[in-house]
Amino acid sequence: MEPSGHPEQRHSTGARRSVRHPRRTLRALAATAALLPALLTASACGGPADAVANADRPVTLMTWAPADTGSADRPGMTALAQAIGRELNATGGLAGHPVTILTCNEHNTADGATACAQQAVTAHAVAVVGSYSQYGSNFIPALEAAGIPYIGGYGLSTPEFSSPLSYPVDGGLPALIAGSGLQLVEAGCRTVTLIRPDTRAGDTLLGYLAGALKSANVKLVDLRAPEQSSDYAAIAAKAIGGDRPGSCITSALGAEATSNLLDPYRRLGPRNTVLASVIGSFQQSVVDSTGGDSGPLGGAYATGWYPPESSHVWDALRATVHGYGSSDAPIDVSDPGVQTTWVAYEVVRQAAARIGDGKPLTTKTLRNVLDGGEPIDTAGATPPLAWGTTSMLASADSPRLVNTSVTYQQVKDGRLTEPHPGFVDVRWVLAGDKPPA
């Protein structure tokens, strides 16, 4: 793990060309992140594209994620934010305002996340959007003190689901692991072994999975695994056990740990054990790199927040990446962090549009729209999103977990597909209720 030092900011200049999108997409774009504070008040683009709002100072948005850490890197999230910034400025700005996109490397450390949040405060950011960090208890207080909303975080920490200034667009790991349990019940599993991190966060996942399995009388086996290891042979062997029919495994490890687990799992070659995981632990690019249907993930079940990468839901995202992405910063459209960032910026775009062209776009006016409770349509990437009182989860720990829906996916013919398209609501599991009749 790399020391935090000073989080990195990146600067990109908005393009002035347009692109035809196959679906309704984000209106606007261009990223300008400054290395010097003086640049923070400069126009995000240097040409005619930002003339529509040249009387206003640019609206500053920030996106952060780890980079150069090895295990937790999500460079596609910040790269997409910059591409969205370029597109916004090339197509009229954000509700008529030119946009400055700041990106920050939080280095997967508490100090790094805190420093990124402080940069957002110093830059007078209107919002932090589509970001990734497990250190919510460190950065959320700084954003709260400045009144800056945190929109569409990845969902790695409890404060993201409790802070009144947090507007999550997914259900985090709790929703995924609860959904995985229900998916495996549907698949006929009689025993489910959970391979999860030996951490406090891992402890909480156990309860959600148990809630999903209890009503079906499915046995739960808890298998703790070290977060940092390159050898999961013993873990894989213990999880497979006698390889009996009805035995299932679900992994809630990180992406790198899951990759390290797949190799010994493949070597052991179980015939009856069913493998499952949550999106983020693996995704389509991992299926491809491990041999598709002939690899260890052939037939594997997955639970995600969103439809699979092959869905037309992501056509607009693909168009933005193709038209405004940079060849120096590849963007994997199957990455759930990239997808979360896309959804988060769509929320900002629609909320800004409700404020209206030419009207002040501030932290307060943006929060007022989001707190109003009127649903925001994400064109099928999620159910309509709303953060009003009636949308809150009946949970003292996670009331802001408003999107309690997941998708069921399975590897078929080498592709992650939906056995039955649509969202599955796991709210009853997360709230500790009885299953619906």
Side-chain angles (χ1 to χ4, degrees), residues 365-385:
T365 58
L366 187 58
R367 294 199 320 267
N368 285 345
V369 169
L370 297 175
D371 292 337
E374 184 179 350
I376 288 179
D377 184 354
T378 62
T382 68
L385 298 172

Side-chain angles (χ1 to χ4, degrees), residues 388-399:
T389 304
T390 58
S391 300
M392 297 297 163
L393 181 68
S395 165
D397 294 329
S398 306

Side-chain angles (χ1 to χ4, degrees), residues 228-379:
Q228 302 294 332
S229 176
S230 59
D231 184 3
Y232 287 89
I235 295 291
K238 190 171 183 179
I240 294 170
D243 190 27
R244 298 179 180 87
S247 295
C248 302
I249 296 170
T250 187
S251 169
L253 300 173
E256 185 176 30
T258 298
S259 294
N260 290 334
L261 174 70
L262 290 178
D263 188 51
Y265 183 89
R266 177 189 57 76
R267 290 198 305 269
L268 291 166
R271 292 176 174 268
N272 299 305
T273 303
V274 173
L275 181 63
S277 190
V278 296
I279 291 295
S281 294
F282 81 90
Q283 57 209 40
Q284 183 60 52
S285 56
V286 178
V287 177
D288 296 340
S289 66
T290 55
D293 260 2
S294 62
L297 292 174
Y301 291 94
T303 308
W305 296 309
Y306 316 114
E309 180 270 336
S310 57
S311 170
H312 289 300
V313 163
W314 305 114
D315 285 351
L317 168 57
R318 280 186 279 269
T320 295
V321 171
H322 177 73
Y324 295 92
S326 168
S327 59
D328 295 331
I331 300 172
D332 180 0
V333 177
S334 73
D335 181 354
V338 167
Q339 295 170 348
T340 299
T341 302
W342 173 261
V343 173
Y345 271 92
E346 177 65 7
V347 168
V348 172
R349 186 193 70 79
Q350 290 198 37
R354 292 177 186 178
I355 296 171
D357 285 0
K359 295 182 180 179
L361 178 53
T362 65
T363 57
K364 185 176 181 180
T365 58
L366 187 58
R367 294 199 320 267
N368 285 345
V369 169
L370 297 175
D371 292 337
E374 184 179 350
I376 288 179
D377 184 354
T378 62

